[in-house]
Amino acid sequence: MATRKSRDEDCCSVNFLKYVLHIFNVVFLLAGVVVLAVGIWTLVSKHQYTVLLTSASFPAAAIILVLAGCLALGVSVLGCCGVWREHRCLILMYTFMLLLIFLLEVLVGILAYIYQGYVKDELYQNLNSTFLESYSVDASRTAAIDRIQQEFKCCGAIRFEDWEGSHWRLGPPLKPSQSVPDSCCKTTSEGCGKRNHPSNIYYTGCIYKLADEVKEHLIILGAVGLGICVLQIFGMVLSCCLYIKLKDIID
């Protein structure tokens, strides 16, 4: 017959593990808020970039972060309840949920790291055709291109001359007098794109700054995902210890 143990035997007592896990849950809750905030910020403020990308890796990483953040908020409450009531089934469920969130955040880190490597090549291959074929045709992409040209102070994907062969200029209605879209102008006004002098429009292509912006934000997503996922390891170890400790205790 197995010998049952008291609550305070071995190196870590039940009360000590409960106390540490409550502290962990508070920290985990705050970390979940950070993860959720970064994911939402990416989806809202960087949406204009995603419609110009052919790969879904960038928005997918943000959506997974939002999911992980939402789960973290719920799981921290579940953990507090399980630990407080010393309910072994809840603690076991809590441990598996921590593992799931850990895997989601690792996935974000991996996606961000891999996509960093080829986002610049993807933009070089596809961004110019997106500019030339979608501007004035696709409303969401048109708005995104206008915003990027103004925000990054650039004109065209690679160079401002690219607009000469675009659907916007050559398609109906023809715009023989308009050199570039008005969003290329240093001071935007209706019809300002007729004059392509460097004093009037930006000469730098958008692809360079857009590639740097996407890569920098992928670094943030990867750092948040991989950085915070380390926290779950401590939580899983502590919850497993408490689960085992509660198995044969004597009240």
Side-chain angles (χ1 to χ4, degrees):
M1 183 176 178
T3 303
R4 304 186 71 188
K5 299 179 180 180
S6 70
R7 299 173 63 89
D8 297 321
E9 283 186 36
D10 299 332
C11 59
C12 295
S13 68
V14 170
N15 290 334
F16 172 78
L17 288 171
K18 288 175 64 177
Y19 177 76
V20 174
L21 272 169
H22 281 309
I23 295 175
F24 169 81
N25 276 317
V26 173
V27 176
F28 185 52
L29 179 65
L30 296 176
V33 171
V34 171
V35 169
L36 181 60
V38 171
I40 293 174
W41 168 57
T42 300
L43 291 176
V44 174
S45 67
K46 308 301 177 182
H47 173 71
Q48 72 270 23
Y49 306 149
T50 61
V51 297
L52 300 178
L53 300 173
T54 55
S55 171
S57 298
F58 186 72
I63 291 170
I64 294 171
L65 268 191
V66 171
L67 176 60
C70 291
L71 284 175
L73 299 183
V75 170
S76 60
V77 175
L78 174 68
C80 285
C81 293
V83 172
W84 181 263
R85 295 174 58 188
E86 299 183 6
H87 197 295
R88 293 181 69 239
C89 288
L90 287 180
I91 292 171
L92 185 61
M93 187 184 303
Y94 170 69
T95 305
F96 279 113
M97 292 302 293
L98 285 178
L99 177 60
L100 174 61
I101 297 170
F102 171 83
L103 294 175
L104 287 175
E105 291 174 348
V106 169
L107 178 60
V108 170
I110 293 173
L111 273 177
Y113 176 78
I114 292 175
Y115 191 47
Q116 278 180 61
Y118 67 85
V119 63
K120 197 167 187 177
D121 292 336
E122 177 196 320
L123 289 174
Y124 270 100
Q125 290 174 10
N126 302 303
L127 190 63
N128 195 38
S129 61
T130 300
F131 269 52
L132 302 185
E133 296 169 10
S134 300
Y135 193 82
S136 77
V137 177
D138 185 309
S140 61
R141 289 185 172 181
T142 299
I145 292 168
D146 282 335
R147 183 172 176 179
I148 285 173
Q149 290 190 143
Q150 283 293 296
E151 183 178 332
F152 292 157
K153 298 181 179 180
C154 56
C155 185
I158 299 174
R159 60 187 68 84
F160 78 92
E161 293 97 337
D162 293 336
W163 286 113
E164 294 177 4
S166 67
H167 179 277
W168 162 79
R169 192 165 185 269
L170 301 179
L174 290 172
K175 301 177 182 62
S177 62
Q178 189 89 358
S179 297
V180 294
D182 293 339
S183 57
C184 283
C185 299
K186 295 181 178 179
T187 302
T188 306
S189 61
E190 187 174 354
C192 65
K194 294 178 180 179
R195 186 166 162 266
N196 61 7
H197 192 272
S199 64
N200 184 52
I201 69 168
Y202 301 111
Y203 271 28
T204 306
C206 296
I207 194 168
Y208 313 105
K209 290 185 179 179
L210 180 58
D212 290 340
E213 180 74 15
V214 173
K215 287 181 72 174
E216 286 174 8
H217 202 76
L218 284 168
I219 291 172
I220 294 174
L221 292 178
V224 170
L226 292 178
I228 294 181
C229 78
V230 176
L231 188 65
Q232 277 86 275
I233 297 174
F234 294 102
M236 286 186 285
V237 171
L238 291 170
S239 60
C240 285
C241 289
L242 182 60
Y243 178 85
I244 295 169
K245 186 78 175 178
L246 289 172
K247 185 177 181 180
D248 295 310
I249 62 169
I250 300 173
D251 291 325

